[in-house]
Amino acid sequence: MTPNDAQLTDALRLLRTRGFEPAGNRAGTRSFEGDLPCRGGNVRVRLSITDWDFLRYPSIIVLDGTDGFPPLVPHLTAEGWLCYFAAGSVVLDRYNPAEALAQCLDQAKLVLEQIRFDADYRRGDIQDEFMVHWLNGQSTAIWDVLIGTVAPGATCTNYWLVDINGVPTALIADSEKEVAAFAGALGASAPEKTTCPCWLFQTDVLPVVPDVMPSTVKALFAWLKAWDKGISNGVQRILEKEPRYLEYKQATFAVKTPIGWLGFGFDLDQIQRLGAIKKPRLYKQHLHGKGGTRGIMRLSISEFGPAFVHSRNLTFKDLSGRQIKVVGCGAIGSYVALSLVRLGAGANGGKLMLIDPDKLKPENIGRHVLGYPALFKSKATALRDELVRQFPFSTIDASPTDVRGVPALFSADLVIDATGEESVSEFLNARRIAEATKTPLLHAWIKGNGQTVQTLWVQGSKGGCFRCLRLADHKNYREERFKVLKEDPVRRLIGCTGFTPYGVAAPMHAATLATETILDWLQRDSPSPRFRTRSIASADVFEVKNQDLTRLAACPACGTNDVAIPAVR
């Protein structure tokens, strides 16, 4: 948007009133310079507007007036860029640019005063954004490193080198298989294992905020001691007793902290290190003497392993390490499987099995995760291949066969019936009861033409089974116990094939409802309410209450002599 003449006039008047003068217009950017009247002295800033829609906040660069500021401050880069609003925290009025600019200047003034006078504010905000300050503070040597899975309690692992888009990239991980899978997913070269070590530590203590970020070996040692004596002592022990670090040009260390991985290292003096290989304590003494003036490098460590990917957005355990089986890889099953792998299914020793005897046909594509490249292929196999392409660390098996031929089906932590076919659901229900398994079975299906989706969690002998959703007496044979549709769904015939049309939103809704049940199981160890119903906003349907399904006394699958409990709507 370009402000109209009246809006622009108001904005320019506001800036003039506050003492700001034009400082040039370049490539769609209008800049102004002036003083912010801050407590403790004026601060000279440049305000630049590139986006009058205010999707991006105007930039503010501090030019002068920070002599009284501490050396390490939050929200202000070494180049003077001031972060005064967190991204998305404030919506500026595009129809009133004068008011929007006033908000920006007022907030910048407030932040600058807090930086100057409020020590608690400085410490708290630096702690919150510690990694940003660690990587940018008083150092030009930043080394990008990726880290995968390392064994809990490991004290050392080796680097791998991978060429990613022509850029040599260092990776830290225990497993060659994991590194190779990661490289393959990016279309990168095969990994090359090095013998160069990276020493590992872990702490539950937040990094201590120093007055100035350490930039030399001596300052690094002092900061580690102030932060965590366990790490400090561990680093000193390596320098004194581990000759292997002296075989290379650098020594590097990585610490797993509550805010992520923090890494550092330093180059080794080539003459001093060779003379100390048999007595590494000599090099330690060198580092505490003249060698302590050597500058350090900082490792910018990004995690790529499955434990990080699948657990980052959760506040509870994921599906890693569990055995999960999905029966049906059609519309519902494809979206369910997509959610499961994102929750960690198949990772860290777990396995996800996909079961479906059918092939993907043209009529399936309009409501399926897979597209034309999978046409006429086994649904289970093609879905497995696509999921492995996206999540190369996951163990996913495909069983392109009828579920009746799958042995030990309930030898799993969870079985999901995503077929949406009542006859298959009845079979799975009967098999579960006959085997008296304690493995939970989650059914998910679509009602009508996608107006409603439902899920049912059944486990052990508690509560009703899938067949309990149908009345069992002869007068009401197979009548729905919880009627939801007011009208019969539209059915279509093509040749001798009949089908129920519904859009892609319906299987997505069913998969979402199933995923929510699984999340409750993971978070609370309880999938209650076990029977769930959700309808789209425009659906003219009966309301069915979410509830824990009770048994029907006359249920031919699980019935008892108990008195039947009437349906609840």
Side-chain angles (χ1 to χ4, degrees):
M1 162 188 142
T2 301
N4 60 38
D5 291 342
Q7 292 171 334
L8 184 58
T9 297
D10 288 344
L12 294 176
R13 184 183 300 115
L14 176 280
L15 292 172
R16 279 198 306 273
T17 301
R18 296 201 174 202
F20 279 76
E21 298 294 336
N25 300 326
R26 276 189 309 184
T29 300
R30 300 192 69 150
S31 297
F32 304 85
E33 290 185 8
D35 291 334
L36 288 178
C38 298
R39 183 161 58 100
N42 290 348
V43 178
R44 186 80 177 172
V45 300
R46 179 185 298 124
L47 172 76
S48 299
I49 306 111
T50 59
D51 177 15
W52 291 96
D53 292 311
F54 299 120
L55 300 180
R56 294 188 302 275
Y57 298 135
S59 67
I60 294 180
I61 299 177
V62 175
L63 303 175
D64 195 13
T66 60
D67 292 342
F69 283 37
L72 183 62
V73 296
H75 310 307
L76 188 61
T77 71
E79 295 79 20
W81 294 87
L82 179 68
C83 176
Y84 56 95
F85 281 138
S89 61
V90 173
V91 177
L92 300 177
D93 191 349
R94 68 199 303 271
Y95 299 106
N96 191 346
E99 179 64 26
L101 295 178
Q103 282 181 266
C104 296
L105 294 173
D106 290 344
Q107 178 65 15
K109 174 179 179 293
L110 175 63
V111 170
L112 288 169
E113 289 178 342
Q114 288 177 312
I115 288 174
R116 187 189 294 247
F117 294 106
D118 192 337
D120 290 338
Y121 171 83
R122 290 196 301 270
R123 279 193 298 270
D125 279 35
I126 291 173
Q127 186 74 80
D128 290 342
E129 54 190 41
F130 187 88
M131 287 301 185
V132 175
H133 291 280
W134 172 253
L135 294 176
N136 293 329
Q138 296 83 46
S139 175
T140 57
I142 304 295
W143 188 22
D144 291 324
V145 176
L146 297 172
I147 189 166
T149 302
V150 293
T155 58
C156 183
T157 191
N158 291 342
Y159 284 100
W160 301 79
L161 296 179
V162 176
D163 188 290
I164 301 177
N165 297 324
V167 178
T169 304
L171 286 77
I172 302 171
D174 289 342
S175 169
E176 181 177 4
K177 182 179 179 181
E178 181 179 87
V179 176
F182 177 74
L186 297 178
S189 60
E192 175 189 346
K193 186 176 183 179
T194 75
T195 55
C196 181
C198 180
W199 306 95
L200 306 176
F201 298 91
Q202 184 168 349
T203 180
D204 294 325
V205 181
L206 289 170
V208 68
V209 177
D211 293 331
V212 179
M213 285 292 175
S215 57
T216 65
V217 173
K218 184 177 180 179
L220 174 68
F221 289 165
W223 175 68
L224 290 176
K225 190 173 183 180
W227 170 21
D228 187 314
K229 290 185 178 179
I231 298 174
S232 175
N233 293 338
V235 170
Q236 296 302 321
R237 182 193 61 79
I238 289 167
L239 297 175
E240 182 173 348
K241 297 184 178 181
E242 294 284 355
R244 189 151 66 101
Y245 81 89
L246 292 170
E247 298 175 10
Y248 302 91
K249 294 181 179 180
Q250 297 101 8
T252 60
F253 306 82
V255 184
K256 189 173 185 180
T257 80
I259 57 173
W261 283 91
L262 185 151
F264 50 85
F266 42 84
D267 291 332
L268 302 179
D269 183 286
Q270 298 307 295
I271 297 176
Q272 292 284 343
R273 76 175 181 88
L274 292 175
I277 284 181
K278 292 184 179 181
K279 293 182 179 180
R281 69 175 182 276
L282 295 178
Y283 198 86
K284 175 189 170 184
Q285 293 171 2
H286 167 71
L287 291 173
H288 282 272
K290 293 182 179 179
T293 60
R294 184 177 292 272
I296 65 170
M297 70 180 78
R298 306 181 197 275
L299 275 59
S300 176
I301 303 177
S302 301
E303 294 191 67
F304 70 86
F308 169 77
V309 169
H310 300 304
S311 64
R312 179 183 182 273
N313 295 311
L314 302 180
T315 57
F316 45 87
K317 291 182 179 180
D318 55 30
L319 291 173
S320 296
R322 300 181 187 249
Q323 306 296 310
I324 312 291
K325 295 179 182 178
V326 177
V327 182
C329 297
I332 299 174
S334 65
Y335 286 101
V336 166
L338 203 61
S339 295
L340 293 175
V341 293
R342 282 173 165 77
L343 285 172
N348 295 333
K351 182 181 291 185
L352 174 63
M353 175 178 281
L354 307 175
I355 304 166
D356 195 309
D358 294 335
K359 294 183 178 180
L360 191 73
K361 300 175 183 177
E363 57 265 30
N364 304 138
I365 293 179
R367 55 193 191 190
H368 201 280
V369 162
L370 299 174
Y372 279 101
L375 202 57
F376 307 122
K377 296 179 181 178
S378 157
K379 288 180 180 177
T381 303
L383 183 59
R384 186 271 315 276
D385 293 346
E386 174 60 20
L387 295 178
V388 170
R389 184 185 70 82
Q390 294 187 35
F391 296 88
F393 310 130
S394 298
T395 301
I396 306 175
D397 286 349
S399 180
T401 185
D402 190 301
V403 69
R404 290 174 292 185
V406 177
L409 176 66
F410 288 98
S411 177
D413 295 296
L414 173 64
V415 176
I416 301 171
D417 166 24
T419 63
E421 297 181 20
E422 190 170 356
S423 59
V424 178
S425 300
E426 289 265 26
F427 165 78
L428 293 172
N429 182 63
R431 182 169 171 178
R432 181 189 69 85
I433 294 171
E435 294 183 12
T437 178
K438 293 183 180 180
T439 298
L441 172 62
L442 175 60
H443 302 275
W445 65 95
I446 297 167
K447 298 291 290 186
N449 299 111
Q451 298 97 323
T452 298
V453 297
Q454 294 181 312
T455 60
L456 174 65
W457 179 287
V458 289
Q459 185 174 8
S461 58
K462 183 178 180 180
C465 72
F466 183 82
R467 187 62 174 79
C468 290
L469 292 172
R470 296 281 184 180
L471 299 178
D473 57 277
H474 290 288
K475 181 180 178 181
N476 305 100
Y477 180 67
R478 293 193 65 80
E479 180 180 331
E480 287 185 280
R481 184 179 173 189
F482 306 95
K483 187 174 177 63
V484 63
L485 297 179
K486 292 183 177 180
E487 298 179 358
D488 292 335
V490 174
R491 293 277 295 172
R492 289 183 181 169
L493 288 172
I494 297 181
C496 295
T497 302
F499 67 99
T500 303
Y502 53 77
V504 67
M508 295 172 72
H509 287 164
T512 298
L513 193 58
T515 303
E516 289 177 2
T517 304
I518 295 169
L519 289 173
D520 284 340
W521 174 56
L522 289 172
Q523 185 172 13
R524 299 185 287 108
D525 199 29
S526 170
S528 182
R530 296 185 172 209
F531 176 45
R532 306 186 184 196
T533 301
R534 183 170 297 167
S535 300
I536 61 174
S538 60
D540 183 19
V541 295
F542 296 112
E543 183 178 350
V544 175
K545 179 182 177 181
N546 292 334
Q547 59 196 280
D548 288 330
L549 187 66
T550 55
R551 282 191 186 184
L552 282 179
C555 173
C558 73
T560 68
N561 294 322
D562 298 339
V563 177
I565 299 175
V568 178
R569 279 216 181 94

